[in-house]
Amino acid sequence: MNWIEGIGYLGTALTISASAMSTMIPLRIISLCASLVVVTYGVLIGSMPVVLTECIQIPFNAYRLWEMIRLVRDTEKAASGDLSLEWLSSFGTRRRFGTGEIIFRKGQPAGEMYYVESGVFSIPEVGITLRRGGIVGELGLLSPGNKRTASLVCLEAGRALCVSYSEVKQLYYQNPEFGFYFLKLTSERLFQTAKAGEPLTAGDAL
């Protein structure tokens, strides 16, 4: 085996290592390293298809790595403060809701949480009203079967940021501080439910 083949085998080993990783930041870093090694190998053997394939992947992996580092950086800042999720404003998907619109009903599958940016929203089953800065839906991530146990209704037209549970899970696993922060947030919701007179059970989630 000559040194050129050695570079090729190194690229293969790095690619396999990246595929076996479960955390996103190390995965992206190793993937970038693998792509650079494979590009070098492709140039040395004169294989442009190999070079082209890896050159296409490098920008995608670099962008995802930057995105994940930015998420971790912002959650570290947030975790040291209070229970505000104002920092989430640069993530997720914004949606507008009209007066009287039902965002979700009790019993429906839960796949995202909401950060209220404007308008007024209500959780009728527990009598909680949410305005700007309010959080709802985060406990659905923890409920059995990811089912909603209460409804969410828009009382006054407004806008909310929708953050998928897949994004929340990424933040949770990448940053232990965010895990603790999320625990504080969900605990606050449970206490709100208790104050509203609703009995707390293992499945109490929005």
Side-chain angles (χ1 to χ4, degrees):
M1 181 179 69
N2 57 40
W3 65 275
I4 295 179
E5 289 179 327
I7 292 176
Y9 284 122
L10 175 60
T12 300
L14 289 172
T15 300
I16 294 173
S17 298
S19 301
M21 291 183 173
S22 59
T23 52
M24 294 303 296
I25 289 181
L27 185 154
R28 298 298 180 185
I29 292 174
I30 297 300
S31 293
L32 283 169
C33 292
S35 292
L36 292 174
V37 171
V38 173
V39 165
T40 302
Y41 175 71
V43 171
L44 291 173
I45 66 173
S47 177
M48 292 311 297
V50 171
V51 173
L52 180 61
T53 299
E54 296 302 322
C55 285
I56 292 174
Q57 292 189 54
I58 287 174
F60 286 104
N61 280 318
Y63 174 76
R64 292 301 184 187
L65 175 61
W66 172 80
E67 186 178 51
M68 197 68 242
I69 291 175
R70 183 183 66 172
L71 285 171
V72 170
R73 180 196 62 204
D74 289 343
T75 52
E76 284 176 345
K77 292 179 181 178
S80 62
D82 57 24
L83 290 179
S84 172
L85 284 188
E86 186 71 33
W87 56 272
L88 273 177
S89 60
S90 57
F91 310 115
T93 303
R94 286 177 172 79
R95 290 178 55 190
R96 292 190 176 277
F97 299 98
T99 301
E101 183 175 352
I102 299 176
I103 291 80
F104 55 76
R105 296 179 183 274
K106 182 176 180 179
Q108 290 182 334
E112 57 191 5
M113 70 179 190
Y114 297 82
Y115 173 77
V116 179
E117 294 185 325
S118 63
V120 180
F121 297 79
S122 172
I123 306 171
E125 287 84 354
V126 293
I128 294 177
T129 299
L130 300 167
R131 300 178 184 273
R132 177 177 173 80
I135 306 295
V136 63
E138 78 286 349
L139 287 180
L141 176 64
L142 307 176
S143 67
N146 293 127
K147 297 290 186 180
R148 305 285 189 190
T149 61
S151 305
L152 181 64
V153 181
C154 180
L155 299 181
E156 294 181 11
R159 186 177 66 181
L161 183 71
C162 308
V163 183
S164 69
Y165 289 158
S166 62
E167 292 178 288
V168 175
K169 287 179 181 178
Q170 285 185 25
L171 294 173
Y172 187 91
Y173 289 121
Q174 291 292 335
N175 190 341
E177 288 185 351
F178 177 76
F180 180 70
Y181 176 85
F182 188 78
L183 177 62
K184 291 197 295 182
L185 181 64
T186 54
S187 297
E188 181 183 72
R189 178 67 66 201
L190 290 173
F191 282 121
Q192 286 180 334
T193 302
K195 288 179 180 179
E198 287 288 311
L200 296 179
T201 67
D204 276 337
L206 298 174

